[in-house]
Amino acid sequence: MYRLSYKVAGEHRFLVLNRERFTIGRMDENDLVLQDHTVSRNHAELLLRPEGWYIRDLGARNGVSVNGQLVKESVLAEGDTVTLGLFELKFEQELSEKVQLKSGGQVLPIPEGTIIRSVDEIRNQLQAASMVQPAGADPEQVGRLARNGRILAVLSNMSRTLISATDLSEVLEKIMDVTFQHVQAQRGVLLLEDPATGALEPRIVRQAGGPSETIQISQTIARKSFEEGVAILCQDAQLDDRFQAGMSIRMLGIRSALCVPLKLEDKVLGLIYVDTPLKVKAYGDFDLDLLSALSGFAAVAIHQAELRARLQEERVAKTRLERYHSPAVVERILSSADTAGAFNLEVRELEASILFADIVGFSTLSEDMAPREVALMLNAYFSRMADVIFQHDGTLDKFIGDAIMAIFGAPIPTRDHAARAVRCALEMREALKEFNAEGTSGSPPLNFRIGINSGRVVAGDIGSVRRMEYSVLGNTVNLASRLQSMVASPGQIAVGEATYEACRDLFEFQPLSKVKVKGISRPVTAYEVKG
């Protein structure tokens, strides 16, 4: 299976090509939406044919380029770069298919030959040796110092390289760049542990001379390095009984291989694996020490990149939540996040109260006002009402024209959601009086009607794959809307029977006549909140 990899605002994203046709463009109906004026509304399409994947220009203003050449239609090969406006999309095979960890069966006893060393031991020896100053002209000491100096120079350059990386994907690419620069490898793979499954997942695949066949690596080598935190140097893997179980090494054609764990303190994050099928004893003790030292820097860089990504996700999540929830609710949602940093806004049923508030006769009020004046007035009004909603730990669901929809009791459940909604409505009415009193000369006074209903709702992130928002659905919501639009008079707060029963002892109510409302089969009993 193939995919397109691309960047949006510096973030790496992927489109997995798991169907026979995909469309790309600026409009929401496309399978891949690229929001930029350089991309046409319907820019291009991807088609799977017997001979492979094709990219086809749909008449885009800026055209479609493959590897820098404008095309109307072109078959894509592994590694091709497709340019649509300002976006570059890389056509590549899914990494899980490019790298296969083949089981070697039962691991056999370990004889002499292949070098297996603890990466902690290697790093400690390098650190100690780098501090030794030769007392005299001891050629062995001078040689060791020069050797370690070469490793330290590589590490110094690597640290500067990794500092410039902006995200985890770029960090991984640069780690592999440095590895191939200093270790003679025909093939290389960087694998990271999946926190959810514990499996080793390929994240970067590199082959000298560009993409070619699927890389198959010995699961025996990978498992031993990962589980024991050891670096493994196979000078001729086909002659080592430790890695012959099931004849996997011979079948994979591996001659020389290096595998080192990405170890940070006591935690192994993944592996760097390189090999060559071309040469026996392609790697030596220096390569083992160098890659083991590099892996330590790499593990730190990966860990820091993951922390930065997690912090950025939390900032984005908090900014998104603050648009709809009070600060207290935001903190409670974030504090309930799981160990992976995800908070639970999945769709579920719960008890809640829904409030709708709609400005009376807004179209008539605004018809003599300039559009800018209308926008400024609405923004000021919405801001004042949102503050009141947040004071009662309500969730601002949405603005619908000049109407407001708010939720009480979700996503954080509260037993007194009905009372909170009614109390909020009363304070919104007082806030509106203050807003009108503060209004600039010439601005018409506003009035609204409010409807509140309580009961079971379906709540959670609802929407499309491209856009999800927290909202509620159900008959409880529909009735709250009808109470506002069909029952409440200007200035009134009308509530349903369930809201009345939940807080009849807390507020003063006056029964309203039963009414038949659209979408509700039986007449509705409603009450006005007097105070």
Side-chain angles (χ1 to χ4, degrees):
M1 190 177 297
Y2 285 87
R3 69 183 187 183
L4 289 177
S5 66
Y6 59 102
K7 273 189 175 184
V8 174
E11 177 188 348
H12 278 273
R13 298 184 184 180
F14 303 96
L15 174 68
V16 178
L17 305 180
N18 53 7
R19 302 198 311 267
E20 293 185 354
R21 181 178 183 269
F22 289 84
T23 59
I24 307 172
R26 197 174 68 244
M27 297 298 291
D28 285 345
E29 65 263 19
N30 288 288
D31 299 298
L32 174 55
V33 179
L34 301 176
Q35 294 284 3
D36 190 84
H37 70 279
T38 61
V39 177
S40 296
R41 296 159 64 90
N42 297 290
H43 200 111
E45 67 177 346
L46 286 158
L47 302 168
L48 180 59
R49 295 172 178 169
E51 58 271 29
W53 280 98
Y54 278 77
I55 184 83
R56 191 164 74 90
D57 186 350
L58 295 178
R61 182 178 68 255
N62 291 322
V64 174
S65 295
V66 176
N67 300 327
Q69 297 294 318
L70 278 172
V71 299
K72 287 298 181 183
E73 184 176 288
S74 177
V75 66
L76 295 175
E78 167 79 11
D80 280 351
T81 298
V82 177
T83 304
L84 309 178
L86 293 178
F87 291 90
E88 288 191 349
L89 303 95
K90 182 78 74 173
F91 180 74
E92 58 190 24
Q93 194 175 11
E94 278 274 79
L95 294 184
S96 58
E97 297 184 7
K98 291 177 69 173
V99 178
Q100 297 176 6
L101 278 82
K102 292 294 186 180
S103 174
Q106 183 180 3
V107 181
L108 301 178
I110 299 178
E112 297 180 2
T114 294
I115 301 172
I116 300 177
R117 294 175 61 191
S118 162
V119 290
D120 292 333
E121 174 192 340
I122 294 172
R123 294 170 189 170
N124 291 337
Q125 288 178 357
L126 287 171
Q127 184 177 10
S130 66
M131 302 172 64
V132 174
Q133 299 295 329
D138 184 337
E140 184 176 346
Q141 282 187 320
V142 171
R144 279 201 304 269
L145 194 61
R147 173 185 184 277
N148 294 333
R150 289 169 56 198
I151 293 177
L152 292 174
V154 173
L155 296 180
S156 177
N157 290 330
M158 182 182 190
S159 65
R160 289 194 292 270
T161 299
L162 294 179
I163 286 173
S164 66
T166 57
D167 61 14
L168 179 59
S169 295
E170 190 173 353
V171 166
L172 301 182
E173 288 284 358
K174 289 183 179 296
I175 290 170
M176 194 58 77
D177 287 343
V178 174
T179 299
F180 266 63
Q181 182 180 353
H182 296 283
V183 177
Q184 298 301 310
Q186 291 294 313
R187 310 183 298 191
V189 181
L190 193 153
L191 306 101
L192 294 182
E193 182 187 25
D194 184 333
T197 64
L200 286 171
E201 300 289 343
R203 298 296 296 273
I204 296 293
V205 178
R206 189 73 57 82
Q207 301 193 54
S212 57
E213 77 284 350
T214 298
I215 299 176
Q216 297 181 329
I217 66 178
S218 169
Q219 194 177 87
T220 305
I221 293 176
R223 185 173 63 243
K224 185 172 185 65
S225 179
F226 182 78
E227 293 178 355
E228 299 181 19
V230 294
I232 299 176
L233 165 59
C234 299
Q235 293 181 328
D236 190 350
Q238 296 197 35
L239 299 181
D240 193 330
D241 288 341
R242 281 172 293 186
F243 307 120
Q244 283 187 20
M247 300 297 288
S248 64
I249 297 292
R250 290 181 181 175
M251 291 172 63
L252 301 180
I254 300 170
R255 301 294 299 189
S256 301
L258 273 173
C259 187
V260 300
L262 293 160
K263 189 175 182 182
L264 182 65
E265 297 179 349
D266 295 329
K267 172 69 174 174
V268 178
L269 308 179
L271 300 172
I272 299 176
Y273 173 94
V274 295
D275 72 20
T276 174
L278 305 178
K279 185 179 178 182
V280 175
K281 296 184 179 180
Y283 311 121
D285 191 62
F286 176 80
D287 299 293
L288 181 67
D289 288 355
L290 175 62
L291 197 56
S292 296
L294 287 175
S295 71
F297 274 61
V300 172
I302 290 169
H303 178 65
Q304 291 177 340
E306 289 176 335
L307 285 179
R308 287 196 301 270
R310 196 171 300 129
L311 288 173
Q312 178 62 20
E313 288 174 1
E314 289 177 4
R315 283 193 291 268
V316 171
K318 188 172 183 180
T319 300
R320 172 193 164 204
L321 291 170
E322 285 173 342
R323 294 170 56 197
Y324 305 104
H325 308 287
S326 70
V329 171
V330 170
E331 290 304 318
R332 290 170 69 185
I333 293 173
L334 293 177
S335 66
S336 68
D338 59 26
T339 55
F343 46 86
N344 185 6
L345 294 179
E346 65 182 13
V347 177
R348 56 178 174 155
E349 279 196 29
L350 47 75
E351 291 281 339
S353 291
I354 313 302
L355 179 153
F356 282 90
D358 184 54
I359 297 175
V360 177
F362 182 75
S363 297
T364 303
L365 287 171
S366 61
E367 64 183 5
D368 295 327
M369 299 174 65
R372 174 177 166 75
E373 293 175 342
V374 174
L376 289 174
M377 182 179 69
L378 273 181
N379 287 341
Y381 163 75
F382 284 148
S383 296
R384 186 73 64 91
M385 295 303 118
D387 288 344
V388 177
I389 292 168
F390 289 164
Q391 286 169 13
H392 294 276
D393 286 345
T395 293
L396 181 58
D397 186 291
K398 61 176 69 73
F399 299 122
I400 313 165
D402 58 291
I404 297 172
M405 177 181 170
I407 311 165
F408 298 83
I412 302 297
T414 54
R415 291 187 177 183
D416 61 342
H417 53 81
R420 288 174 186 263
V422 173
R423 210 171 277 122
C424 176
L426 289 169
E427 290 194 21
M428 286 172 69
R429 191 159 62 183
E430 292 302 313
L432 184 62
K433 292 178 183 178
E434 295 175 4
F435 179 81
N436 286 330
E438 297 167 4
T440 58
S441 177
S443 295
L446 302 181
N447 197 2
F448 57 29
R449 49 168 66 94
I450 293 179
I452 301 173
N453 194 38
S454 306
R456 300 292 290 179
V457 298
V458 175
D461 272 340
I462 297 170
S464 69
V465 174
R466 299 187 189 92
R467 178 166 178 165
M468 305 286 285
E469 287 187 350
Y470 190 84
S471 190
V472 290
L473 302 170
N475 288 333
T476 298
V477 181
N478 297 336
L479 181 53
S481 177
R482 302 290 186 269
L483 289 169
Q484 175 272 125
S485 62
M486 303 179 67
V487 177
S489 299
Q492 276 190 335
I493 302 169
V495 304
E497 195 166 5
T499 306
Y500 167 76
E501 292 295 340
C503 48
R504 59 190 300 178
D505 299 328
L506 302 176
F507 305 97
E508 180 185 351
F509 293 95
Q510 178 176 312
L512 298 171
S513 58
K514 289 188 175 183
V515 292
K516 184 73 169 64
V517 298
K518 181 180 178 181
I520 307 295
S521 58
R522 59 182 177 80
V524 171
T525 301
Y527 300 83
E528 180 188 359
V529 182
K530 303 296 291 185

